[in-house]
């Protein structure tokens, strides 16, 4: 269906692709992986024709429709979510809009003298709407929006009033409803809660077209893709299998390449030693010449490209007492909405609670109550006397000083720390070399999250409260964070939609449901085994 043949591409001074080739066939579900900045978005843009390759060819079979979801959703306003989603399905949305206008006209007493023409036109438009299967389309649009977490009210409301994350879901729903022959999805798992993520997983498993996608959620990728295309150093390498298999194969081929490199280096050293030893002796001139020629002809084995992996180790946190935080008879409302009514909850030392519940269940509110960012309407929230709190919230990224560089930001937070230790800290969180001189205003979402985390973990608290800490983080940084937090000696309370993160770090689960609050001993894996569901909102 889609072929990239010997692609060459350069962005400014950066060489993105050199003679790179790959194919996407009907029914294939491919995960596109590679370090940040390797060229994943450039590849999508070349396939959709938004950007031409400098060399080589991108060919798409005639008649193949492509749906492309990117993080840049543009401005949406003035229409309902349903209308916006149906717009992706072609002319049916224009017909639906005219139907709505005619329905409004029929109810308008000022237009009574035009009623015959309006009714005639309404009949024609309604016939066209039925021809285009419009009524089924409207139902399907609502089904997709429901799967992505929209309430009926949000479906009918103006898209312009939605936050950026919800607009992303509308843009994604457009592509899903369109059901093109090939879907290109750039980070579709961003901004989704766990229920929506699992719904999308099932949808994509049942999709029979070709799929090419990027995702920072390894569990999501593992369950959908049957092939991986890796972009690295300008080349495209294809691996059959899921993400887990790709990681194993990559590690194996790196090991083999390293062994080959070392064998060749040992052989070269031996040959060079012989040449150096005997080059001045006339009796060995022929042998020396022969070996020099042999060395010139040898194809040199390159050592495997080492991915820059960062490791972060916690300084020991000060020991806390046994009681970390206690909530007694807590009531919390927002307007007419009751979030908590008489909540009792206690966190004890070394417990790692993950908080689960559908959108609006009160997950972030609980974290705000615990950290003192919001007060209960009634009841008490008491932190233990020796508790040193660290709170990672999404809004913390907005509080960074845009004019300060990464390094200045760290220096401002830790004026007593030496330059060497702050540079080491920056390096652990992926800011190496000149990256520390970047101003905070130009940082990506992932870079901002890493900087906030670095500041929080340098002088470690003994109680970590984390609200979606893995949003914006790539797979490698998530792995580093999980490895570091697994060694952490303190107590944790967190919300995350990343199942790998949940399974690796929790030893308690607090489930928020309309029926009440339920606590489970054992972590996320045990919770799934006991309830038979991966998220509370999936209960039938």
């Amino acid at each position: 269906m889609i072929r990239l043949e010997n692609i060459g591409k350069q962005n400014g001074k950066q060489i993105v692709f050199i003679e790179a080739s790959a194919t996407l066939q009907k029914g294939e579900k491919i995960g596109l992986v590679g370090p940040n900045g390797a060229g994943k978005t450039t590849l999508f843009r070349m396939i959709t024709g938004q950007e031409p390759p400098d060399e080589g060819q991108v060919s798409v079979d005639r008649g193949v429709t492509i749906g492309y979801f990117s993080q840049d959703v543009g401005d949406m306003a003035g229409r309902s979510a349903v209308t916006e989603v149906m717009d992706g399905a072609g002319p049916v949305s224009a017909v639906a809009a005219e139907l709505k206008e005619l329905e409004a006209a029929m109810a308008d007493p000022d237009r009574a003298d035009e009623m015959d023409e309006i009714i005639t036109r309404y009949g024609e438009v309604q016939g066209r709407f039925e021809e285009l299967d419009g009524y089924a389309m409207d139902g399907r649009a609502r089904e997709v929006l429901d799967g992505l977490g929209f309430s009926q009210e949000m479906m009918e409301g103006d898209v312009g009033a939605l936050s950026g994350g919800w607009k992303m879901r509308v843009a994604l729903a457009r592509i899903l409803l369109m059901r093109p022959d090939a879907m290109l999805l750039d980070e579709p798992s961003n901004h989704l809660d766990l229920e929506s993520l699992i719904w999308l997983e099932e949808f994509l498993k049942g999709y029979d077209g070709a799929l090419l996608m990027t995702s920072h959620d390894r569990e999501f990728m593992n369950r959908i893709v049957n092939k991986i295309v890796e972009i690295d150093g300008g080349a495209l390498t294809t691996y059959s299998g899921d993400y887990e298999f790709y990681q194993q194969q990559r590690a194996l081929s790196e090991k083999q390449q390293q062994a080959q490199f070392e064998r060749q280096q040992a052989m070269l050293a031996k040959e060079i030693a012989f040449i150096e030893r005997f080059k001045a002796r006339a009796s060995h001139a022929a042998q020396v010449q022969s070996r020099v020629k042999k060395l010139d002809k040898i194809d040199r084995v390159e050592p495997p490209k080492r991915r820059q992996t960062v490791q972060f180790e916690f300084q020991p946190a000060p020991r806390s007492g046994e009681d970390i935080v206690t909530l007694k008879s807590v009531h919390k409302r927002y307007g007419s909405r009751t979030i908590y009514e008489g909540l009792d909850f206690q966190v004890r030392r070394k417990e790692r609670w993950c908080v689960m519940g559908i959108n609006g269940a009160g997950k972030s509110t609980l974290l705000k109550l615990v950290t003192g960012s919001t007060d209960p309407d009634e009841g008490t929230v008491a932190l233990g006397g020796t508790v040193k709190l660290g709170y990672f919230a999404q809004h913390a990224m907005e509080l960074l000083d845009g004019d300060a560089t990464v390094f200045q930001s760290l220096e401002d937070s830790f004026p007593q720390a030496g330059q060497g230790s702050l540079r080491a800290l920056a390096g652990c969180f992926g800011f190496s070399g000149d990256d520390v001189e970047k101003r905070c205003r130009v940082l990506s979402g992932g870079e901002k999250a890493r900087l906030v985390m670095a500041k929080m973990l340098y002088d470690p608290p003994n109680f970590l409260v984390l609200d979606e800490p893995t949003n914006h983080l790539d797979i490698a940084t998530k792995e580093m964070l999980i490895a570091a937090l697994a060694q952490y000696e303190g107590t944790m309370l967190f919300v995350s939609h990343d199942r790998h993160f949940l399974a690796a770090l929790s030893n308690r689960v607090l489930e928020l449901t309309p029926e009440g609050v339920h606590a489970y001993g054992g972590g996320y894996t045990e919770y799934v085994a006991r309830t038979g569901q991966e998220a509370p909102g999936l209960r039938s």
Side-chain angles (χ1 to χ4, degrees), residues 41 66 72 75 111 176 215 252 271 316 334 402 463:
T41 302
I66 294 176
D72 181 16
D75 189 38
R111 300 184 67 180
L176 301 182
S215 175
L252 187 62
E271 293 294 322
Y334 288 116
F463 179 35

Side-chain angles (χ1 to χ4, degrees), residues 135-173:
Y135 290 108
M137 191 71 74
D138 182 88
R140 291 217 304 276
R142 289 172 190 277
E143 200 179 310
V144 170
L145 285 167
D146 179 62
L148 293 175
F150 283 77
S151 64
Q152 288 300 322
E153 194 183 343
M154 288 168 77
M155 289 182 203
E156 298 296 346
D158 185 346
V159 180
L162 298 175
S163 69
W166 285 99
K167 283 180 182 171
M168 291 261 187
R169 296 190 195 203
V170 171
L172 178 59

Side-chain angles (χ1 to χ4, degrees), residues 25 120 127 133 168 266 345 374 428 459:
Q25 303 291 357
T120 305
D133 207 13
M168 291 261 187
F345 175 54
T374 193
C428 280
D459 179 20

Side-chain angles (χ1 to χ4, degrees), residues 515-536:
E515 292 74 47
V517 175
H518 311 286
Y520 294 84
Y524 176 70
T525 306
E526 289 86 345
Y527 165 82
V528 173
R530 281 172 69 179
T531 63
Q533 296 288 358
E534 292 188 299

Side-chain angles (χ1 to χ4, degrees), residues 24 76 268 427 474 491 527 537:
L24 177 61
M76 297 180 185
L268 292 173
D474 61 25
T491 305
Y527 165 82

Side-chain angles (χ1 to χ4, degrees), residues 79 82-101 129 132 134 137 174 177:
R79 297 200 288 182
V82 173
T83 306
E84 192 67 51
V85 169
M86 283 174 65
D87 193 40
V92 70
S93 65
V95 179
E98 193 180 347
L99 263 187
K100 273 223 159 114
E101 282 170 23
F129 192 62
L132 291 168
M137 191 71 74
R174 277 174 68 125
L177 181 70

